[in-house]
Amino acid sequence: MTETIGLDFGTSNTVAVSATGTGGTVPVSFADGAEAFTSLPTVLSFLDRSPARGPHPEVGPWAIRQFLESYGDVRFIQSLKSFAASAAFKGTGIYGSRFEFEDLMATFLKCAFERAGSAFDPASVRLVVGRPVEFAGHSPDEALAMSRYRAAFEKLGFRDILFVMEPVGAAFSYAQSLEQDTTILVADLGGGTTDYSLMRFETNAGHLSATPLGRGGIGIAGDTFDYRIIDNVVLPKLGKGSSYKSMGKVLEIPPNFFSNFARWHMLSIFKTSDDFKEMKKLLRYCLDPEKIELFIDLVEEDQGYPLYKSVSETKARLSCEDGAELTFAPLGKDFRAEVSRQDFERWIAPDLKKMDKALDATLEKSGLAEKHIDRVFMTGGTSFVPAVRRQFAERFGEERISGGNELTSVANGLALIGAREDAGDWALAA
């Protein structure tokens, strides 16, 4: 039987699961010293080496360590998936080597499988890849994203490649525990996107089948929530809302400078942009120069990941506490900001409304109402946010909400689908 791997290439984390051939699955595991984990941070770094050897890539925690220990000689890339559907992203130069999106994606996956110690021939493996219902970004180009995905996997030598909607993978994983025919709404709430999928699962003579009823989504999820904390707590310390003098007038510093910084996966691009050069020119005219100096220092010192880590940890604590303290030494050794869950929920309220409207549209297109949904399965890291869970519970009733294996359910379902004889029926058309 062909070996099958389910791959959930996520904005924040990547998970791979292998089907055993006996109806079970085994997560691909990574070991970093004594620590073992199945969810690999989707970060990629390149260490500058001699031109003859080219840049040395690393992934996950090894990339983070390489970045922190090799100051000034490392190119650090995160939220790579956010660029997949962007026609504006034309590739990037890294220490004399040119990398298109598919090169970056292939490099990340190659290093990931090597770090996992996976020994398989890509040409003999069926790879079932999850894709979001809606790609993240402004005016995402779905066809471009899928062509880039295919090119990346072909570079790695995979030939048998199936693409399945991420929430369909999660739904299939959850459906293994169903004891009766059920209509399911899957809400896959990740880092970059929120995806909805409506499916009817039925069992006939022990054979599980599914009928897709509708799908939808929006490019809002955990990364957007992180941005709200940065926008309200961090950016004022970096000069957002401050002014500069020009030709006798007092003008506000362009807000787009700060939005570029807040979206940390754009930091490396912003660092070499005309906007950043303009920001440095404005410094001498700023009314709060110490804040802008701090802004410039954080960009030049590549503090995007440390900031991301601090903000994400704060957000995670707000899932179980009424308040959490955000500390970030580069903002000053005495910098401490108390973030209350109440404030956080107020900041993300407009995003929650947009997510809810996207669900309205999904239900409307499918011709279904809340009463027709038997179970709601929530998956992805953002499903832990209390305000998100509460919104679903208020709409569908707590008794219909299910969860579990939030970080691995998509990849697990993809692997199970790939092991089926009718796997092609679950996949998207090529």
Side-chain angles (χ1 to χ4, degrees), residues 60-273:
W62 301 279
I64 296 167
R65 191 174 301 127
Q66 188 180 79
F67 166 71
L68 294 175
E69 295 177 355
S70 305
Y71 172 73
D73 300 315
V74 172
R75 179 72 178 275
F76 192 70
I77 299 171
Q78 53 196 21
S79 299
L80 177 60
K81 186 178 179 180
S82 299
F83 297 108
S86 172
F89 182 76
K90 305 292 186 181
T92 184
I94 299 178
Y95 302 126
S97 297
R98 181 70 180 176
F99 285 81
E100 304 298 332
F101 175 88
E102 49 266 39
D103 300 318
L104 294 170
M105 185 176 183
T107 300
F108 171 81
L109 293 171
K110 180 176 183 292
C111 291
F113 284 126
E114 288 176 351
R115 277 295 185 181
S118 300
F120 59 80
D121 177 10
S124 64
V125 168
R126 168 175 286 170
L127 185 68
V128 185
V129 184
R131 57 141 291 179
V133 174
E134 298 285 342
F135 280 94
H138 178 68
S139 300
D141 187 333
E142 178 178 312
L144 175 63
M146 295 309 297
S147 69
R148 286 171 165 175
Y149 269 40
R150 292 187 184 91
F153 298 126
E154 289 171 359
K155 281 179 176 290
L156 295 174
F158 291 101
R159 297 293 177 264
D160 186 2
I161 308 167
L162 299 177
F163 292 96
V164 176
M165 290 291 181
E166 291 165 0
V168 172
F172 191 87
S173 182
Y174 173 65
Q176 306 307 301
S177 63
L178 296 177
E179 298 179 352
Q180 60 187 21
D181 297 347
T182 307
T183 299
I184 299 176
L185 164 65
V186 177
D188 185 5
L189 305 123
T193 62
T194 291
D195 292 329
Y196 302 118
S197 185
L198 291 156
M199 303 189 71
R200 176 68 178 175
F201 283 91
E202 297 176 328
T203 301
N204 184 15
H207 179 77
L208 181 66
S209 63
T211 303
L213 304 175
R215 69 190 193 200
I218 190 170
I220 293 175
D223 287 354
T224 307
F225 294 174
D226 290 341
Y227 172 75
R228 301 306 174 205
I229 295 177
I230 291 176
D231 191 35
N232 286 277
V233 179
V234 176
L235 292 187
K237 301 290 184 181
L238 303 180
K240 183 178 180 179
S242 63
S243 305
Y244 69 101
K245 287 184 177 180
S246 176
M247 301 179 66
K249 297 181 180 179
V250 176
L251 304 172
E252 182 182 359
I253 295 176
N256 64 290
F257 290 168
F258 301 96
S259 61
N260 273 312
F261 178 81
R263 301 179 188 282
W264 39 80
H265 62 273
M266 296 293 291
L267 252 189
S268 59
I269 296 175
F270 178 56
K271 186 178 179 180
T272 58
S273 70

Side-chain angles (χ1 to χ4, degrees), residues 309-341:
K309 189 171 184 291
S310 295
V311 170
S312 293
E313 289 173 350
T314 301
K315 183 181 69 175
R317 290 197 299 275
L318 290 174
S319 293
C320 53
E321 300 173 13
D322 291 332
E325 187 179 69
L326 171 63
T327 60
F328 189 57
L331 289 175
K333 63 180 181 179
D334 297 325
F335 172 76
R336 280 172 173 71
E338 185 68 25
V339 181
S340 71
R341 184 191 291 183

Side-chain angles (χ1 to χ4, degrees), residues 386-414:
V388 172
R389 299 192 75 89
R390 186 166 64 248
Q391 181 162 286
F392 278 86
E394 290 174 352
R395 182 162 188 167
F396 294 96
E398 186 67 46
E399 70 282 357
R400 283 191 277 176
I401 307 297
S402 298
N405 300 317
E406 283 83 0
L407 299 181
T408 60
S409 62
V410 172
N412 187 70
L414 296 173

